[in-house]
Amino acid sequence: DQQVKQNSPSLSVQEGRISILNCDYTNSMFDYFLWYKKYPAEGPTFLISISSIKDKNEDGRFTVFLNKSAKHLSLHIVPSQPGDSAVYFCAASANSNYQLIWGAGTKLIIKP
Amino acid sequence: DVKVTQSSRYLVKRTGEKVFLECVQDMDHENMFWYRQDPGLGLRLIYFSYDVKMKEKGDIPEGYSVSREKKERFSLILESASTNQTSMYLCATGSGRRNEQFFGPGTRLTVL
């Protein structure tokens, strides 16, 4: 039973436009959410996070939105750049649990 | 900067061999994790450790064991490698309640 779902395996976006990656979760105990970016043959790197007490967090070109009632979060990248082409993972944690629960990832392709 | 290193980037082993994957971190983090990443399945937790000599099973511990004799080092052992253990193995570390995780570069293991 997947507690964190990324329903789009891939997404293709024109350079300069907005990329929107989506993530849904089922566990209402999750209170912290993270986005990671992964290039081939490298480990994931942390991108941005959001606590459940907020509904938006922004860092440069990256913004994460959280809709608790819908159990949905999204990552917006604007403007999209070729270097943003990667696999993006959504992850969630609950309270003081050490573990992160991961989505399956979305492959973002930025077209020139 | 957190540095997480893994003993090998690429490894080819034969069915039945014993395989050791080692992970070393230099940031004094309490928590260490072993994941495997497979296409369409995201990151799946094999084992984690929150202290020296402590270990906890993750979601898919079967066929694996771990060792943490020193704080900075966390080893993953495949007692008898099988072809279905061909995968990308990722080590991560974390510290603190929010447990943002920092990843090594990964080991691509192929079992023939």
Side-chain angles (χ1 to χ4, degrees):
Chain A
D1 178 30
Q2 277 191 300
Q3 297 185 65
V4 177
K5 296 180 185 179
Q6 293 177 257
N7 291 318
S8 299
S10 65
L11 176 68
S12 187
V13 174
Q14 203 75 33
E15 182 179 356
R17 305 294 290 269
I18 184 170
S19 295
I20 300 176
L21 296 99
N22 294 304
C23 179
D24 296 294
Y25 61 97
T26 57
N27 189 340
S28 57
M29 298 300 291
F30 289 149
D31 64 349
Y32 195 67
F33 303 89
L34 307 90
W35 284 94
Y36 281 76
K37 176 179 178 179
K38 186 183 184 299
Y39 293 118
E42 293 183 14
T45 54
F46 171 74
L47 198 54
I48 192 169
S49 62
I50 188 166
S51 165
S52 61
I53 61 173
K54 295 186 176 181
D55 54 18
K56 178 182 174 181
N57 188 26
E58 194 170 351
D59 184 1
R61 296 186 298 115
F62 303 92
T63 303
V64 57
F65 295 92
L66 175 62
N67 182 335
K68 288 190 293 293
S69 61
K71 293 192 176 68
H72 176 84
L73 62 155
S74 60
L75 174 69
H76 293 213
I77 306 172
V78 57
S80 300
Q81 298 175 354
D84 296 331
S85 294
V87 177
Y88 289 79
F89 290 100
C90 170
S93 70
N95 295 323
S96 59
N97 196 312
Y98 299 115
Q99 296 185 54
L100 292 179
I101 308 301
W102 296 81
T106 297
K107 183 175 184 178
L108 177 65
I109 301 162
I110 305 300
K111 298 180 294 186
Chain B
D1 265 0
V2 176
K3 190 163 184 186
V4 183
T5 57
Q6 295 184 226
S7 48
S8 306
R9 293 300 300 270
Y10 300 93
L11 210 51
V12 179
K13 295 291 181 180
R14 297 215 172 268
T15 300
E17 281 193 80
K18 192 168 186 175
V19 182
F20 292 89
L21 302 180
E22 193 165 72
C23 176
V24 179
Q25 53 111 348
D26 67 356
M27 284 301 292
D28 204 34
H29 283 173
E30 297 89 1
N31 306 326
M32 297 188 74
F33 306 82
W34 275 107
Y35 293 93
R36 61 178 282 177
Q37 185 205 352
D38 300 289
L41 296 177
L43 276 67
R44 292 183 292 167
L45 182 64
I46 304 171
Y47 268 95
F48 68 100
S49 168
Y50 53 88
D51 203 351
V52 175
K53 296 194 186 294
M54 306 300 288
K55 60 185 179 184
E56 295 280 348
K57 292 180 180 179
D59 300 320
I60 51 164
E62 296 79 18
Y64 304 94
S65 61
V66 290
S67 172
R68 190 157 181 211
E69 296 296 319
K70 294 184 178 181
K71 189 174 186 178
E72 69 271 17
R73 199 175 295 266
F74 192 34
S75 302
L76 179 70
I77 303 143
L78 286 66
E79 297 290 342
S80 177
S82 63
T83 54
N84 63 12
Q85 293 178 310
T86 291
S87 186
M88 168 70 88
Y89 288 88
L90 293 160
C91 173
T93 76
S95 179
R97 182 175 174 272
R98 283 308 178 193
N99 210 18
E100 178 185 322
Q101 294 181 13
F102 301 87
F103 284 83
T107 296
R108 171 69 66 185
L109 173 67
T110 302
V111 182
L112 301 175

